[in-house]
Amino acid sequence: MSIFKKGIYFGVAVCDVSTGEFYATQINQNNNFERLLDEMSRFTPAEIIANDLLYSSTEEIAKIKERFGLYISKVDENSFSTNTDNLVANYEIVTDKGEKVNRFDDKLFTVSAINGLLDYLNQTQKIKLEHINTIQIYNTNKYMALDISARRNLEITERMRDKSKKGTLLWVLDKTSTSMGGRMLRRWLNDPLIDITEIRNRLDAVEELKNNLMLRGDIIENLKKVYDIERLIGKISYGNANARDMISLKNSIKQLPEIKSILSTTSSKLIQNLYQNLDELKDVYTLIDRAIIEDPPISVKEGGMIKKGYNEEVDELKSATTDGKKWLMELEVKEKEQTGIKNLKVGFNKVFGYFIEVTKSNLSQVPERFIRKQTLTNAERYITEELKNLEDKILGSQEKLINLEYDLFLEIRCELAKQIKRIQDSANIISTLDVLTSFATVAEDLNYTKPTMTEDGVIDIKGGRHPVIEKMLPSGAFVENDTYLDKEGDRLSIITGPNMAGKSTYMRQVALITLMAQVGSFVPASSANIGIVDKIFTRVGASDDLSMGQSTFMVEMMEVANILKEATSDSLVILDEIGRGTSTYDGLSIAWAVATYIADKEKCGAKTLFATHYHELTQLENQVEGIKNYSIAVKEKGEDIIFLRKIVQGGTDESYGIHVAKLAGVPAPVVKKANEILKSLERKSALTQKATEKENKKQPAGQLDLYNYKLAELAHEIDKINLNELTPIEALNTLVKLKESVS
Ligand code: ADP
Ligand code: MG
């Protein structure tokens, strides 16, 4: 990735040199640096080059290194020129819709970043990379913005704990048949769309593939025979493809006409489009098919690659080598007759070449014209004029053949390199088809439903499930839940419930369903209306987020700050126990203030799910418009609790943490003590509750009431006194102590 910084703006260009994909954009709206980080996490580059200004911005560089831990180097400012001559002459420059770009004066940061990257590639790769031929200039507004912590938290393509693919959304959705399709799926999941038409087109295509079993089966069967065309093209462009790679390419291309004819009967717009644009590459197929044998050797410098009939000279040289064997046998028979030596043999070794071998007992019969070459214990070896000539002919033609085959091979590879763009386009269509088919298969297998996309800002999910947790649990064990969020009275849900009840799971499920819908996938729900969101944010309280390392609370607050700045009324925000990383009062105060701010339509108004263990926040429902309380139901059964996993309206006031402690096997005396402490604390807050209710009436909405702990303490002490057991003296002493504690 190359990043060009000018003022507060950035140009970004990124290239995968193995496949030739090249994208570029510029960032010139608000909060540019945060957006730059979003772009970086979208592509997760392996290496970054920067211009002077960025490279010397120590704070920004430090942040990039901290978050991505990658290699950044500075490149000369001259590389980042705004000159477009080279670009226009040598590259196809298109928009994300595939239209040709004609105007660059409004894209100068982009141009600089592209030039910087191309220059760097030229210098480091040393050859012209034919497969880098199209540059797509995209608009950052085309995709849903997903900040780094959302990508990580939602475990879209890798797990937080071990970076593995298992247990991620990608793992659930990946039923692709080709590695190209697998890579494209990963890209799609990282780039959810926001354009309603584009999303609907994908969904309609998935629907058709899901419903038409025959069509899907035929497509999958053919896709399975397609190799990684993109990587093969990369090898051709780099000049290290061998004849076997060409055969792989041929066998892949072989499927194209079949796939095209399968697609001809489809009706959805997107698949029809793929059908129309699919180039069958018949000429490329024919070229390889005519020239290269089916099972060529790995080496390209030892011959044996070119098919019979492709080149006359190759055929002649080949027959010279095979005919050679015949000539030698004929020579042996002739010499036996002429000399009368019955066991005379023609042989070959690497040092002496061809020879005639005669055993010692027959030496007397050897004629003059035999020239001695080598003496063995039992025999002598000779050469003759005639044998020498044969040898030249045989060995010479072999060498010529190897050289000629190599030259022809290079010619063919060069010819293929000229067709790279067309091959790439077909590969892209195959990948797209593969991803859509994968979505259809998953939708069918896992009973997903087609979401209805709208632009009214309402998220209305019935019977929603978490795609990953559902798959990890025994079939049918996952408990479905509904969700309703809108831009009016149901903007922010405060979700309470005991530990382990399923709060985090529920909130992530809503985010994942929304994301899946905008990627174009069916979703795990019985029905889903998804009002398209522009961004998804998630923030998990510091102590829940083990992967963060030190200064977690600071990081937590930085990310909260970013959410408050960036979230719009079209965004979806998931806040999971924020404020946990600090003391109770700090944490509660922050959580309270953050919830109030987000709920404020004037300031933010994003759709928000807010899980918290601060039950005090449930008071907000009555105070702030747009906030609703929910909790995840549990059932008490004697001493124990049963997790019902059902989200219900209304808050809880019990945390059941002690029940969980008991379940986990914390020793009985500790559990008992904890219960006692809890009871006495509850008595205190029951008292303060009345006081706060009175005050609430006077206070403006959103202001936090802190408890009068002294009063509670006192009440608790009085409550503890057992009047039946108290002597008059003890009563007096108690009264003295109480008085002391108040003064
Ligand atoms: P919380 O955030 O409330 O502490 P989690 O969301 O982490 O709880 O859920 C704890 C565990 O409960 C999950 O790992 C999962 O195994 C299970 N779980 C959560 N939601 C459901 C559900 N809807 N159906 C079945 N099991 C669930
Ligand atoms: Mg949780």
Side-chain angles (χ1 to χ4, degrees), residues 469 473 477-479 481 498-506 645:
I469 308 273
L473 292 176
F478 192 89
V479 180
N481 272 309
N499 272 321
M500 289 298 288
K503 300 183 295 297
S504 302
T505 307
Y506 174 71
R645 314 274 184 224

Side-chain angles (χ1 to χ4, degrees), residues 228-290:
D228 195 337
I229 302 178
E230 284 170 342
R231 293 260 186 261
L232 293 172
I233 297 169
K235 279 176 135 186
I236 289 170
S237 178
Y238 267 101
N240 51 20
N242 62 21
R244 281 197 187 173
D245 295 325
M246 287 184 190
I247 293 299
S248 299
L249 180 63
K250 182 187 94 170
N251 289 334
S252 303
I253 293 175
K254 191 175 169 186
Q255 309 306 319
L256 297 181
E258 177 115 22
I259 292 174
K260 184 150 183 152
S261 86
I262 294 169
L263 297 186
S264 65
T265 59
T266 57
S267 54
S268 66
K269 199 172 160 200
L270 179 54
I271 305 184
Q272 260 304 308
N273 207 327
L274 298 180
Y275 164 70
Q276 303 286 349
N277 290 316
L278 181 60
D279 180 341
E280 296 162 289
L281 302 169
K282 285 189 171 145
D283 52 331
V284 177
Y285 177 85
T286 311
L287 170 63
I288 304 175
D289 190 49
R290 269 181 52 228

Side-chain angles (χ1 to χ4, degrees), residues 561-576:
N562 179 44
I563 294 175
L564 298 183
K565 271 188 275 176
E566 287 274 288
T568 74
S569 60
D570 289 320
S571 307
L572 176 63
V573 177
I574 306 292
L575 296 171
D576 197 348

